[in-house]
Amino acid sequence: MTITRKRLLIGAAALAASAALALSGCSGSSGSTKSASGSNSTVTLFNGSVGNFTENFNPWLTTGAELQPTQGVIYETLFYYNMARSQDPVPLLGTKYAWNSDGTQLTITVRTGAKWSDGSALTAGDVAWTLNHYESTASLNTLGQTWTTKQDGDDVVLTFPSTSFTLEPQILGNIAIVPEKIWSKIPDVLKTTNTKPVGSGAYELDTFTPQSYTLKKNPNYWGTGDDAPKIETVRFISLANADAATSALESGQVDWMGSYLPTLKDIVKKHPNVAYVNTADSTTSIVTCSNADLGCTGPQTDVAVRQAIYDAMDRTQLNAQALNGFGEPGSPTLLVPAVNKKWVADQANEMLPEGADAAKAKSTLEADGWTLNSKGFYEKGGTELDLTINVVSGWTDYDTVCTLLKGQLQKAGINLTVNQVAQNAWSNSETTGKFQLSLNSVNPGASASPYYIYNNYLNTAATAKVGSPSSTNTSRFSDPAVDAALKTLASTNPSDDAALLKEYGTIQDTVVKQLPIIPIYVNQALTEFNTSHATGWPSADNLYAFPEPWKAWDAGIVLKAIRPAK
Amino acid sequence: MRFYLQKIGFYVVALWAALTLNFLIPRLMPGNPVDILIAKMGAAGQPVTPGTRKALSIALGQGGGGNWLQQYGEYLVNLAHGNLGVSVVNFPENVTTVIAQALPWTIALIGLSTIISFLLGIGLGMFAGWRRGSWLDNLIPVTTMFQAVPYFWLALILVLVLTRVFPIFPYAGGYNVNSGLVPGFSLQFIGSAIYYGFLPALTIVLSSIGGWMLGMRNMMVATLSEDYIVTAEAKGLKPSRVRLTYAARNAVLPSLSGFAISLGFVVAGSIVTEQVFSYPGVGQLLWTAVSNDDYALMQGIFLVISLSVLAANLIVDLLYGLIDPRTRARA
């Protein structure tokens, strides 16, 4: 009996103690928040990470398991390729490069005087070792290409078996250069988490906890003046959702983030220190399983149906309702006009139509032999024009587009069914070709050059029969003229603009007619800044880097450029 | 002895079934980790080329493959060695390391709030049953209403009111990361963690206290009508003694078994709580694992969850025999 009473008493005491702790916690923490805003040479960055950070600074990984500043902030490439505007590559660890005339040999001059963050010299030997290790390791070589690497004084010479102009941005701008003395001792470079990174970038790792980590200025950084980092500390945090991010931005706890915030315009009005920049990112498009020869089934294999969808959609309404008007008009050529206007060969193909043209869609279908049935939908040979579009449930802008499209296409006699699925199922059906329509985006490749978009999305070599996974060409598009043009482009010197434009023209003419991918609008990436701690962020007039904090390589450029606010 | 052996034997079979389901269920989901990684890389602006898929498959060790039966064998052998594999999302980090990071947060938050909710609930329930018709009885419909309201809704309302309208509590996170605190046993860190955990804990307590209270009150009412209570009162014992050691001790038995089971579910965490409050626990980890087809991580988390539920049940089963002799005796 007495034992029981004691137990209950202990329980009550525990309860009281926890309540007391909770209260003391309340009062204790107000002090610690104050100390946070003390130093003004710190910027806090939210790059979309959710949950705990796993300590991983492996520069060889590209899967996103490596913490984001690994690429560009702690480790650097030879050159920096800006995707936000057309510009020449910016020299980083390389100072210049040159191709031989037939594109089989690339000579890179390595920067002299650069150092690793531990103070040792960075040499052409490190560059040669890195490039060679990448090329010779099957699990690293995402290019699937071979070459031989030779060091020649401060130069590194790569010799390719065939013309390889198109590998340039991937090799120069997407492989992190690492110190040979450390990495040559590791048998499988992918199997390490590299928790004490020694890099050449503007910042080095300072402290790490699973909820937040900080970088500090690298005292051995090669850059001087404008190229030197000016902010002392960079902190990375994780937040669960856009709601938390909004609060953090408004309260000044985050200085740099890249979330889509529907109410952004109001936030900027309320908070004079908050600024944003809206950058063209990728083209939101309907990917169609277009090629019956490779096993696609459904009405969308008929080009007239794809043309009708293209004409029947009201892009102004889609942009206004799905993106709050933050989207920009795209181009039927799949290029982003803001970045690649000069590569659209035919002016007529530059911009997508904005409003809906149901009448044109209907006449296209009727000319192809479709007739309206009693339900108001077209049919041909007894089969109704029913299409199913896959979309990831929870991607609200995509879901809105699909809901609106259903109504818009109905006016043109097309019956669209929206199939909301989990991301796994969505990506799986697109890769294996078991879909009719799929809402996705057309992403740029290794550089801003249109070649990479066309090669990834339209090359026969990048597709596969329905049932087997295609690597990047999920619409199963295959066209000999396009393949030939891509082949010519790959062996054309990248500085020969007229020759490139001619081939792009061939591809664009085919794509605009065939529409294996039906573009909707250019999805914009919103990046938000708080200017009370640092200034000099990228702006619409000066996109010196792609401003999103989640973008590989670009964060290093931005962090070098910003300076403490006065 | 036979009683205990039977119990343990049953739990061994249950454990095997749980392990097998752990293995099977993730593999029945559509998609595979390489596709998801490629999709994410493309969206993050990483160049994706035809060679990418091949290199990734080799890197993630899916080059050879092997059939399910082979994988099942390897899975069991690895488990026996305590090796839960390598997480794809956090490649090349071990699943055990990743789970070990998240587990303390969930155990602390959900564990403490479950205990607080239980103690408060049975305490209030005891008094409500003791003084039927008092104002405490009116509290019961209120608490059951909190339980009936969808949890996420209640949590969102509290977030809105207590972090936005009246900014008393922080809206997200496990502790104040901006202050440069390092997790550990420092007073400052624990204070910050409690401050940050208070609001999520409050929502859990509010939404679960009704059940404990109602159950305890009703058992209390039933127990109070027993003859031995009348006897105790007739003997002239102090009311507090009758209440606590005569009535409450017997009335709490059913709640106690419910409590032990709910302790088992603590590890599963509350996915919704952790999502709403950006809490760095197991629930959020599970969410990440599932949305990335990270089989190894999913299996690891499910394993920890099923083990803790089984262990809690086993302990209750065994302890119940001690607490309540009637369950042990063979009539």
Side-chain angles (χ1 to χ4, degrees), chain B residues 180-258:
Chain B
L181 285 174
V182 179
F185 286 99
S186 73
L187 210 59
Q188 241 195 338
F189 168 73
I190 294 175
S192 179
I194 290 178
Y195 175 47
Y196 273 69
F198 193 85
L199 190 57
L202 182 69
T203 60
I204 296 172
V205 170
L206 272 184
S207 66
S208 61
I209 196 169
W212 299 125
M213 203 173 153
L214 190 65
M216 183 64 186
R217 178 200 178 270
N218 292 346
M219 275 311 292
M220 196 72 182
V221 169
T223 316
L224 282 176
S225 63
E226 296 284 344
D227 291 344
Y228 64 86
I229 301 284
V230 181
T231 316
E233 281 174 343
K235 280 199 297 187
L237 288 180
K238 273 192 291 186
S240 62
R241 187 172 169 80
V242 176
R243 184 173 66 222
L244 217 60
T245 48
Y246 280 71
R249 189 190 177 189
N250 285 296
V252 82
L253 283 173
S255 301
L256 214 56
S257 60

